[in-house]
Amino acid sequence: MLHTLAVLVENNPGVLARVSGLFSRRGFNIDSLAVGRTDDPTISRMTIVVEGDNHVLEQVRKQLDKLIDVIKIDDITSERYVGRELIIIKVNADAQARPEIMQIVDIFRAHIVDIGQETLMIEATGDADKINGLEEALKPFGIKEVVRTGKIAMLRGSKSTSLENEA
C-alpha cells in the first residue's frame, strides 16, 4: 500500500540528504518525494509517498521523528486531500503526427509548452492516473524525455498539516 506523508522540516542545508539517507539506510522505498519552502521561509514541506504495510509506516514515522530537523509528520493517506503531480514530456512530432498529439493534449487538458522542428514538449498536472494515462497515450509517437515531480498533496477543507493546528 502507498502512504502519503506530509512532513514539515526545518529549512536548513542537508535536511533532504538526512531524510533520504534515513530511508536508504533502513531499506524503505520512497515512491516519490517532493519538497519546497512553505509560507514560512524557515520551514519546508516534504510530501513523501512510501510503499509498505502499517508496520513499515510505523517504522518510517519513528525514524523520521528521531531527526532533529523534522517538525511534524502527518499520514494523510486516509484523509480527504488533493494530490497532484507535474509532468513534462518531449515527444517526436513530425507534421503528420502533430494534429493527433494535439488532440491527446486537449483530452488530458495538458498544454504544449515548446515546439521544435520534430518535437513537442507537453506539460500536464493531475493525479497519478491522469499523468500515467497521458504518458501511455503519447508512447506510440516516441517519447524522447520525461520529467515528473512526484506527488504533492494538501488536505481538503479546513484541515491542515501546518503548525497552526498545534497550538
Side-chain angles (χ1 to χ4, degrees):
M1 177 179 181
L2 293 176
H3 296 273
T4 302
L5 302 176
V7 182
L8 297 178
V9 297
E10 298 288 341
N11 188 11
N12 294 327
V15 173
L16 178 59
R18 286 188 282 283
V19 169
S20 63
L22 177 150
F23 277 78
S24 175
R25 284 190 309 276
R26 302 294 178 182
F28 302 133
N29 186 38
I30 297 174
D31 189 70
S32 77
L33 187 149
V35 61
R37 189 172 48 90
T38 65
D39 56 324
D40 180 345
T42 65
I43 298 173
S44 290
R45 178 182 166 133
M46 294 181 172
T47 303
I48 304 172
V49 179
V50 60
E51 185 172 358
D53 58 18
N54 288 336
H55 176 72
V56 168
L57 179 64
E58 184 181 327
Q59 293 303 309
V60 167
R61 289 182 69 120
K62 285 180 179 176
Q63 294 299 318
L64 284 172
D65 268 336
K66 291 180 182 177
L67 294 178
I68 193 165
D69 302 303
V70 174
I71 301 167
K72 184 179 178 186
I73 306 163
D74 282 330
D75 178 7
I76 63 171
T77 308
S78 61
E79 302 284 336
R80 293 182 35 217
Y81 67 89
V82 175
R84 295 287 186 266
E85 290 186 34
L86 168 69
I87 186 169
I88 301 174
I89 306 173
K90 187 183 296 181
V91 296
N92 294 319
D94 59 22
Q96 292 173 329
R98 285 182 186 219
E100 190 175 351
I101 293 171
M102 292 170 77
Q103 283 183 326
I104 292 169
V105 167
D106 284 344
I107 289 169
F108 284 89
R109 287 182 276 164
H111 306 281
I112 295 172
V113 293
D114 187 61
I115 299 172
Q117 288 283 351
E118 298 291 323
T119 61
L120 290 174
M121 190 182 302
I122 299 154
E123 168 193 274
T125 58
D127 61 25
D129 287 343
K130 175 184 173 181
I131 299 301
N132 293 337
L134 175 63
E135 193 173 346
E136 284 298 315
L138 294 173
K139 272 185 181 174
F141 301 98
I143 293 175
K144 296 186 70 73
E145 194 172 359
V146 174
V147 180
R148 290 177 76 151
T149 61
K151 181 192 270 186
I152 58 171
M154 182 178 281
L155 292 171
R156 289 183 179 271
S158 60
K159 288 187 173 181
S160 169
T161 58
S162 71
L163 295 177
E164 293 172 8
N165 290 344
E166 298 294 307

